[in-house]
Amino acid sequence: MEQTLQEEGMEAKIASAEPETETAAAPQPAAEEPAPAPASDDGRQTATISRQVASKWVKTSVLQQDGRVARYIPETHLFSPAHLSSMLARYGKVVMKPVVGTGGNGVIMIIKSGSSYTIRHRRKIRRFRSFAAMLAAVRAIRRKRSYLVQRGITLATIGGRPIDYRVKMVKDRGVWVTRSMVGRLANRGMFVTNLCRGGTMLSSSQGIRRSLSGKLVRRKKNEMREVTRHCIHILERHFPGIGQLGFDYGFDRSGKMWMFEVNTKPH
């Protein structure tokens, strides 16, 4: 049985696809996406690199190979019922998002409580009494699109509204420069923070001060800068020619930093 409710303020944020099966078997390593191709003048290889840069899964996989960065990335897999089931059992909350997409389009949060499941999508909350019923609803939202499933992180909030951060980097005459570092406060009743979804932009200092502590502002901003610089070196090696990147970070209630994804066409 499903119930549909108008969403109220809760907090949190979130391939070529894995074959979808109906049984929740033990998750297997996902390897459907091709490894990044080396730089080449060949048009086909250039197109392959372009597709890989657009893929959140490929970029995440590349960054997860570096231990210094991997500890900031919530556990992430290509979607399959097995991965969804095991991660809900492990964490109680996951975020699913399209492998290719921007602006928070299609992002789904799923919460497990006992034997029931809650789906949050856009401004609706739906509750299901079985995994099978919940999975059918997820499939309807996905519409066969390739998705990632990522551990759900309960973000620090301001007035009950989750906040995360976008660090936009641009390569200017061969040098990477910080174009912006801003906080994005979710609209009331939303769990995604995207400005195009009604989020409010704050300075990063104001966001950290109001959601965590004024004493942490400098330290947390420096942590974002340091991880961003390291990620740029990694991504440039794998994807020659990139010229702009948008890094999405968040801090949980304890102040631990997480990196959710990297965008190659940041708004």
Side-chain angles (χ1 to χ4, degrees):
M1 175 179 285
E2 173 191 341
Q3 292 178 297
T4 302
L5 303 176
Q6 188 66 24
E7 182 169 329
E8 297 179 355
M10 297 171 61
E11 58 266 336
K13 182 182 175 237
I14 161 160
S16 86
E18 241 176 89
E20 187 170 299
T21 60
E22 297 302 320
T23 57
Q28 299 297 319
E32 280 70 15
E33 288 281 356
S40 171
D41 292 332
D42 185 89
R44 287 173 298 179
Q45 288 196 357
T46 300
T48 297
I49 292 175
S50 179
R51 288 194 299 271
Q52 291 169 340
V53 171
S55 167
K56 291 181 173 68
W57 172 244
V58 172
K59 287 177 289 189
T60 298
S61 298
V62 165
L63 293 173
Q64 282 179 327
Q65 295 172 26
D66 186 283
R68 184 174 168 185
V69 176
R71 63 193 179 99
Y72 291 103
I73 302 174
E75 183 177 350
T76 305
H77 298 281
L78 285 170
F79 168 79
S80 73
H83 282 142
L84 179 58
S85 178
S86 64
M87 289 181 67
L88 282 169
R90 187 175 304 122
Y91 301 116
K93 177 166 62 178
V94 302
V95 172
M96 290 182 54
K97 51 192 174 183
V99 167
V100 177
T102 60
N105 291 306
V107 178
I108 311 165
M109 179 187 288
I110 305 170
I111 300 170
K112 184 178 188 297
S113 179
S115 60
S116 65
Y117 300 85
T118 300
I119 289 181
R120 302 184 67 198
H121 177 239
R122 296 178 179 169
R123 288 189 172 274
K124 290 184 178 179
I125 298 177
R126 292 186 288 170
R127 296 194 173 101
F128 303 87
R129 293 183 177 177
S130 71
F131 182 83
M134 177 272 291
L135 187 61
V138 167
R139 187 177 293 114
I141 296 170
R142 284 182 59 221
R143 301 196 310 274
K144 297 184 179 181
R145 290 175 294 177
S146 302
Y147 261 68
L148 298 180
V149 56
Q150 186 173 76
R151 174 185 176 182
I153 303 298
T154 300
L155 293 173
T157 62
I158 297 175
R161 299 157 63 186
I163 183 170
D164 68 6
Y165 302 85
R166 165 65 61 85
V167 179
K168 183 175 180 180
M169 305 294 295
V170 176
K171 198 169 189 179
D172 183 10
R173 288 174 288 187
V175 178
W176 285 94
V177 295
T178 304
R179 183 59 52 84
S180 62
M181 178 186 287
V182 298
R184 304 182 302 180
L185 183 64
N187 194 4
R188 291 199 179 278
M190 299 287 285
F191 69 91
V192 294
T193 61
N194 305 77
L195 302 182
C196 61
R197 298 291 168 182
T200 301
M201 185 168 65
L202 306 174
S203 71
S204 54
S205 297
Q206 184 181 14
I208 295 167
R209 183 180 301 110
R210 293 176 60 188
S211 64
L212 294 174
S213 167
K215 297 178 181 179
L216 296 175
V217 170
R218 178 175 294 182
R219 185 194 312 171
K220 295 304 180 184
K221 289 177 68 172
N222 284 340
E223 189 174 15
M224 284 191 282
R225 291 188 185 104
E226 182 180 350
V227 174
T228 295
R229 285 194 296 266
H230 190 63
C231 288
I232 286 173
H233 293 318
I234 297 169
L235 293 171
E236 276 202 302
R237 289 200 303 269
H238 286 83
F239 310 113
I242 54 175
Q244 58 178 337
L245 293 167
F247 294 80
D248 289 349
Y249 294 102
F251 299 97
D252 63 25
R253 291 175 173 177
S254 71
K256 175 177 169 53
M257 190 176 84
W258 299 90
M259 183 172 68
F260 301 114
E261 64 184 59
V262 181
N263 297 281
T264 49
K265 293 183 178 180
H267 298 294

